[in-house]
Amino acid sequence: MTSIRELEDVVRQQQEELDSLRQEVARWRGQYDGGRKRDIAYTNSASEVPPLYTALDLEDSAGTAFETPGAWPFTRGIHPTGYRGKLWTMRQFAGFGTARETNQRYKFLLSQGQTGLSVAFDFPTLMGYDSDHPRSEGEVGKCGVAISSLADMETLFEGIPLDKVSTSMTINGPAIILLCFYIAAAEKQGVEASRLQGTVQNDILKEYMAQHAWCFPIEPALRLIVDGFDWCATHAPNWNTISISGYHIREAGSTAAQELAFTLADGFTYVERGIARGLDVDEFAPRLSFFWDIHNDFFEEIAKLRAARRIWARHLKERYGAKNPRSWMMRFHSQTAGVTLTAQQPMNNVVRVAYQGLAAVLGGTQSLHTNSMDETLSLPTEAAVQVALRTQQILAFETGVPNVMDPLGGSYYVEALTDQLEREAEQLFAQIDEIGGVVKGLEDGWFQKRIAESAARQQWEIEQRRKLVVGVNEFVTEEPELTIPILRIGQEAEEEQRAKMAALRASRDNDLCARNLEALRMAARGTENVVPRILDCARSYCTLYEIRAALEDVFGAYREPVFF
């Protein structure tokens, strides 16, 4: 048994070692300050980065020295087996033109070893408009696949068994409608909702904050999300009902700490709304997932993901009283940063994406999309998306990185940066509470202004050459024309969709559609969960805009206030 004297000797020895280290660091600092340094900004996304980290930076923290993967608070990962048990899902975001064309791309990706599907919808679909709506003109199929009804969803997944594949759908304003299309398409295949696996993004708060693809005002939009939580908890227990997304916040110009804090604050808001509905937090929290941007600063991104898991676990357990360990675990998808891709020297994007993908894996992502080299110019070609997928496969099978869980755990820099980002997030949480919470902050433009300020500062740093971007403000070459092929989407998709919509309206039971739409309006006026009513509309081939319009009749449409 260790005596008190022996313990005192150990503490004294440790203190002496730290005092010696302080002297050594002070001596080094003098050499560093007197040395010649390059005239650039040594910063991450927000602040200056010290040139050296030592044990002194962890003097008040043990870091993760006494933590293991798969155990509270999950800083080092949510699974005890890490990637030795299961590799991350390789889920390339894809969609263009018509459902038929995108179905062919999905089959190509699956044949190349992709392990999950991720649906990119075109802009009309993202906004809840049918392909033949006047506001859709010129945009059909251009930035994703056009889905206007159950018929399109059936075509999108024709020949792809929905009980065998996991599907992620990046849709927000009309998310609950597209989810119902998907459920109804699965039913057509004989697959019950309880057997479906996947995610619908469905994160409306970040739309008001950053991306701006909305339909309804904030409060009714939140109601629809909680209706989804409620219905799926019983009928689709394996489906992730929301992917709380920092990606678009970061793409709009936020710092890493802002992405971390604003996204988690959105997540807490969804939890609070679910509890306010009367749901047990452990009924719906295990199916909440997250979506993070993986930007250029390698170590900051790894630390951000580690801090995110720890913060979520602590708040769900201590603040919201979750008792199920699955409620504490943050599961997330990651995507390499589209905003970092350059049109200049596009082949360089392959290298950027590889480093960002490595950061996501070292940070413990459960799912990953690696951007294609041409995505700053167009939707990706088949050749470009194959390179992006191969980037993940080389990372998974050739580098040895997945062999060890949280391999940067214990790094002075990574541990200190994890702690720092956690502190900065907590400071931002306090500010959000002071302004009245997330919804009030959105209504007043507080979040929008903070993101805009950060974006302006980052652009200034590039313009002043404080931050260097290869091929843009450094190592620039003359490029008279593009040297890579570009995918062009013509008007054929819009013409085909218009013809399909006309045929659909002529062949369906329009009286049944009218009755189901009116039943949906009645449900929306009251407190009834609207998901069963939307499902009835989907099954009878009501279109996306018809369902949106029925809800808009009751909820109204959102118009963003002017903040700037």
Side-chain angles (χ1 to χ4, degrees), residues 256-257 260 300 303-304 307 311 417-425:
L260 180 64
E300 185 177 43
K304 178 185 74 182
I311 296 169
L417 193 51
T418 301
D419 292 345
Q420 176 187 326
L421 285 168
E422 183 176 11
R423 288 193 299 271
E424 291 178 9

Side-chain angles (χ1 to χ4, degrees), residues 78-79 198-199 237-244 284-292 309 312 326-334 364-367:
I78 63 172
H79 297 304
T199 303
N238 297 316
W239 187 265
N240 298 323
T241 49
I242 195 168
S243 178
I244 305 158
F284 66 90
R287 303 317 304 176
L288 306 183
S289 65
F290 285 78
F291 174 24
W292 299 106
R309 280 192 294 267
W312 182 253
R326 291 187 61 82
S327 298
W328 309 333
M329 296 179 188
M330 171 182 282
R331 297 165 300 106
F332 57 84
H333 171 72
S334 301
T365 192
Q366 279 72 62
S367 172

Side-chain angles (χ1 to χ4, degrees), residues 467-537:
K467 284 205 168 183
L468 302 182
V469 181
V470 174
V472 176
N473 65 354
E474 186 64 80
F475 309 112
V476 178
T477 59
E478 293 294 329
E479 293 184 76
E481 59 183 41
L482 290 171
T483 57
I484 60 172
I486 299 298
L487 180 64
R488 308 288 186 187
I489 306 296
Q491 288 300 110
E492 298 82 7
E494 184 168 337
E495 293 166 4
E496 182 177 332
Q497 279 293 102
R498 286 180 175 275
K500 285 179 64 177
M501 297 294 294
L504 176 73
R505 291 190 174 95
S507 62
R508 69 185 183 179
D509 185 337
N510 286 299
D511 288 339
L512 176 60
C513 286
R515 291 196 299 274
N516 285 338
L517 290 167
E518 183 54 33
L520 174 59
R521 292 186 189 93
M522 291 293 293
R525 291 188 186 103
T527 59
E528 178 185 344
N529 190 313
V530 299
V531 174
R533 300 299 184 183
I534 297 175
L535 269 171
D536 287 342
C537 292

